[in-house]
Amino acid sequence: MNIFKKLRSNMSFHAIASLVGLISLFGLIISLVGFFSLDNAYRKEYATSTYHMADSAAAEVNGDHLGDYLFENELTKDEYQKTVNRLQTSCYKLNVSLIYVIVVDTSDYGRFTSVFNVVNNDVDNTKYTPWALGYQRNTTNDEYREKYRSIYERRSNYETIFRTNTTDGQHPHITTLVPVLSSSRTVAGLLCMQRPISEMNRAMLPYLLAIVFSIVIMAVVISVLAALFVNKSIIKPVKRVSLEAARFAKESSIAAPLGEISRYEVISNLAKSIDLMEADTLKHMEELTSVTAERERIGAELSIASGIQRAVLPSVDSVLAGRTDFDIYASMNPAKGIGGDFYNFFFIDDDHLALIIADVSGKGVPAALFMMVSTIVLANRAQMGGSPAEILQYTNDSICRHNEAGMFVTAWLGILQLSTGELISANAGHEDPIIYRKKTGRFAPSPEMHGVVIGGMAGLRYNNQQTKLEKGDKLFIFTDGLSEAKNKARQMYSVIRVVKTLNENKDKTPKEILENMRDSVNAFVGDEPQFDDLTMLCIELK
């Protein structure tokens, strides 16, 4: 009882106990906030990366033949087995537990039919049994039904479902749904990819342990400092310290050092800290002036880098010099001082013009450096001849060999024979071109078969696609910074608005078309800052 009374009247005990309690409470709050923030960030990153994986896998499926597969058409039997093999390979390479393709009954989205189903039970010790071709079952629940509807109605590019509390004996996982498109760009079915979230949970464990350890260390350290502090006589020394601090705040000049103003260590250290603070503050003010000058120098260097980047872009006048059989214009507006978009056009010979537009992942200096490497490899390989698919394959393999940063680039490459209007192109995950036909008097998107982005995986193959431009036809290519430009309401400019604006300017020259397109985007976005690089190129055959 005496010990309890002494503790109740002991100022040090109360101060230490209060500090320990506050620190513990603060640490707990920080831990919870950090945990939920980290969990949310991990979920978003996990969902995004799984979407890209699923989207790549969906490119392996021919949406035009899903119905033929279900009827076991002999003409598509071999193609079906090859697709199964590719999906199975993707399942193992991407380290996911399940990939399946289904056709949903769109009358009420309450039932679906399985077309492809491959499993990898080694990933998470699961026990999935592949569904047979044509296997039918009811939609799991209303959440799945609404997500099916959202994709089929093209209200979203993909949907994600986190299953942290499973009831079927399986482990927690994420399921990402992406559309399988037909050649007419309609949704023919859904590809669903299931990925375990155990690795995400394992990644969070060290963070939680570090937080707990930090809280314990902080509690011990502050408790010791508090014990030293409250056990000393501090009124007069602290007053001197307070007066000196007020004087320095007013005059910003060094006075006589406080020195050893107390025989107690804590107070003496406090006085020394004030002396040191005054010296450090004045030094910091000098360093701040130096840092400001350094920032101005860096800004000037970034401005020079931006000029260099603009300088490497091709000159319209040099390409058009002495030519009357076509007109061309291009523009690039980076979101930052320097960007990751690029375009290029150059003659392979007198009759063949190469056209390139690409978009590097990310923005700023890293994207600009990756852009410079990519455009050099692409342009140099194109000058050596070959089809666009061969050129993209070579570029992808070259980039993948040295892509330690894990960046990637979408690209569209076309080779136009000016005398005939024959255009051969290949697409590495880029936006579809939009073509104006003089016969119809309208701009319209020209859907293409997309390959995987450059830098994603070595050894990929790309497909050549052919079209013909007549005299008076125009080709418009662009990066997603145009169609995905957002206004204050977070609405995107969209490909629909791009086509509408093009048709409003269909009789204009390529330069006028790009200038009017930029004005239209600026009017739509308003005061919202540009979040992505915006690049456009237009060519008219005369």
Side-chain angles (χ1 to χ4, degrees):
M1 182 63 69
N2 290 334
I3 294 176
F4 179 73
K5 288 182 178 179
K6 288 182 179 180
L7 290 176
R8 288 188 60 187
S9 61
N10 189 292
M11 180 179 179
S12 298
F13 172 79
H14 282 283
I16 295 170
S18 299
L19 283 171
V20 171
L22 288 173
I23 293 169
S24 300
L25 178 61
F26 180 74
L28 178 61
I29 294 173
I30 293 297
S31 299
L32 291 175
V33 172
F35 172 78
F36 287 114
S37 298
L38 183 66
D39 182 68
N40 185 56
Y42 264 101
R43 283 173 176 260
K44 289 182 178 179
E45 177 61 26
Y46 218 63
T48 301
S49 63
T50 307
Y51 158 63
H52 290 305
M53 292 160 56
D55 194 44
S56 296
E60 302 287 346
V61 181
N62 188 337
D64 293 330
H65 290 169
L66 291 185
D68 295 331
Y69 297 151
L70 290 173
F71 290 102
E72 298 187 24
N73 190 325
E74 286 296 323
L75 295 176
T76 59
K77 188 173 182 180
D78 183 60
E79 181 186 84
Y80 176 84
Q81 187 58 47
K82 289 181 179 179
T83 304
V84 170
N85 294 338
R86 288 195 296 268
L87 291 178
Q88 186 68 67
T89 300
S90 297
C91 193
Y92 280 97
K93 285 187 175 181
L94 298 176
N95 207 35
V96 297
S97 53
L98 184 61
I99 299 177
Y100 57 95
V101 178
I102 58 176
V103 176
V104 182
D105 179 1
T106 57
S107 61
D108 63 352
Y109 298 93
R111 192 169 181 80
F112 63 81
T113 303
S114 174
V115 182
F116 296 97
N117 192 284
V118 295
V119 301
N120 179 10
N121 286 318
D122 295 335
V123 172
D124 202 31
N125 294 322
T126 51
K127 298 179 180 179
Y128 291 112
T129 301
W131 293 333
L133 175 63
Y135 172 80
Q136 295 184 340
R137 61 170 287 176
N138 292 331
T139 300
T140 303
N141 52 41
D142 289 339
E143 181 183 14
Y144 276 86
R145 183 181 291 108
E146 287 305 311
K147 291 185 182 296
Y148 292 166
R149 186 191 305 274
S150 179
I151 296 178
Y152 265 87
E153 295 179 356
R154 305 308 297 273
R155 288 186 279 113
S156 63
N157 293 327
Y158 72 100
E159 293 289 346
T160 300
I161 299 173
F162 277 86
R163 297 293 298 276
T164 55
N165 298 314
T166 58
T167 58
D168 54 0
Q170 302 300 339
H171 297 164
H173 57 267
I174 177 178
T175 300
T176 296
L177 298 77
V178 299
V180 175
L181 302 178
S182 67
S183 59
S184 62
R185 310 304 294 170
T186 59
V187 179
L190 300 178
L191 183 140
C192 308
M193 179 176 288
Q194 184 170 304
R195 184 182 182 189
I197 61 175
S198 54
E199 62 183 87
M200 181 181 76
N201 295 331
R202 286 194 298 269
M204 294 176 60
L205 181 59
Y207 169 80
L208 297 177
L209 294 177
I211 288 294
V212 173
F213 181 77
S214 299
I215 292 174
V216 173
I217 294 299
M218 288 175 61
V220 172
V221 171
I222 295 180
S223 297
V224 172
L225 293 177
L228 294 174
F229 179 79
V230 297
N231 284 320
K232 305 296 178 180
S233 177
I234 62 174
I235 297 177
K236 290 183 179 179
V238 167
K239 185 177 181 180
R240 284 189 59 190
V241 170
S242 176
L243 291 173
E244 173 58 21
R247 184 206 66 78
F248 179 77
K250 182 178 181 180
E251 300 176 5
S252 297
S253 61
I254 294 290
L258 292 173
E260 298 287 341
I261 64 173
S262 172
R263 62 188 180 90
Y264 299 110
E265 181 180 1
V266 174
I267 304 301
S268 295
N269 288 340
L270 180 61
K272 293 177 182 178
S273 297
I274 291 297
D275 292 337
L276 182 61
M277 180 204 68
E278 292 178 353
D280 287 347
T281 299
L282 293 177
K283 181 180 178 182
H284 177 70
M285 292 172 64
E286 295 175 356
E287 291 177 347
L288 186 61
T289 302
S290 176
V291 168
T292 301
E294 179 67 12
R295 286 182 178 176
E296 292 177 353
R297 183 188 65 80
I298 293 174
E301 290 183 353
L302 288 176
S303 178
I304 294 173
S306 178
I308 294 173
Q309 186 179 51
R310 289 193 300 270
V312 300
L313 296 175
S315 169
V316 171
D317 293 336
S318 63
V319 173
L320 288 176
R323 304 295 298 230
T324 59
D325 49 350
F326 72 97
D327 188 13
I328 191 170
Y329 195 75
S331 67
M332 184 183 75
N333 298 97
K336 296 184 177 181
I338 53 178
D341 283 5
F342 69 85
Y343 66 83
N344 202 349
F345 45 83
F346 52 87
F347 282 105
I348 298 176
D349 55 45
D350 288 341
D351 195 31
H352 290 84
L353 181 67
L355 305 168
I356 302 172
I357 191 166
D359 183 0
V360 174
S361 60
K363 293 177 279 294
V365 174
L369 293 174
F370 196 76
M371 177 274 283
M372 294 293 289
V373 173
S374 300
T375 188
I376 290 171
V377 175
L378 258 175
N380 288 346
R381 179 60 183 84
Q383 291 283 12
M384 296 167 61
S387 69
E390 293 171 339
I391 295 169
L392 289 186
Q393 178 186 337
Y394 174 87
T395 302
N396 177 63
D397 291 340
S398 298
I399 293 299
C400 286
R401 282 196 295 269
H402 307 286
N403 189 15
E404 295 181 1
M407 301 182 73
F408 62 86
V409 56
T410 68
W412 182 93
L413 167 63
I415 298 178
L416 175 62
Q417 186 173 7
L418 297 169
S419 61
T420 64
E422 294 291 339
L423 174 66
I424 302 176
S425 63
N427 194 316
H430 199 74
E431 303 292 324
D432 290 327
I434 301 174
I435 297 178
Y436 170 79
R437 300 290 185 184
K438 188 175 182 180
K439 289 182 179 179
T440 62
R442 303 288 294 174
F443 272 100
S446 179
E448 295 184 335
M449 184 178 295
H450 288 208
V452 179
V453 296
I454 293 174
M457 183 185 302
L460 298 174
R461 298 292 185 271
Y462 297 90
N463 297 300
N464 287 319
Q465 294 157 99
Q466 291 183 304
T467 188
K468 184 175 177 63
L469 299 180
E470 304 292 345
K471 291 185 177 180
D473 290 353
K474 299 171 186 174
L475 172 70
F476 180 82
I477 51 179
F478 60 100
T479 60
D480 59 9
L482 173 62
S483 56
E484 295 180 4
K486 294 180 181 179
N487 59 15
K488 288 185 178 179
R490 312 312 297 162
Q491 297 173 325
M492 291 195 299
Y493 191 70
S494 78
V495 175
I496 294 176
R497 287 190 176 89
V498 172
V499 175
K500 180 176 181 293
T501 303
L502 287 172
N503 281 315
E504 290 172 351
N505 295 274
K506 60 185 179 180
D507 297 325
K508 305 291 186 182
T509 65
K511 180 179 181 180
E512 292 170 336
I513 288 175
L514 265 57
E515 290 175 345
N516 292 344
M517 179 67 73
R518 184 64 189 177
D519 291 342
S520 176
V521 173
N522 290 340
F524 175 81
V525 171
D527 296 331
E528 285 295 290
Q530 182 179 338
F531 78 99
D532 198 3
D533 304 331
L534 194 161
T535 303
M536 301 176 286
L537 185 150
C538 183
I539 182 171
E540 177 182 6
L541 200 61
K542 293 186 175 181

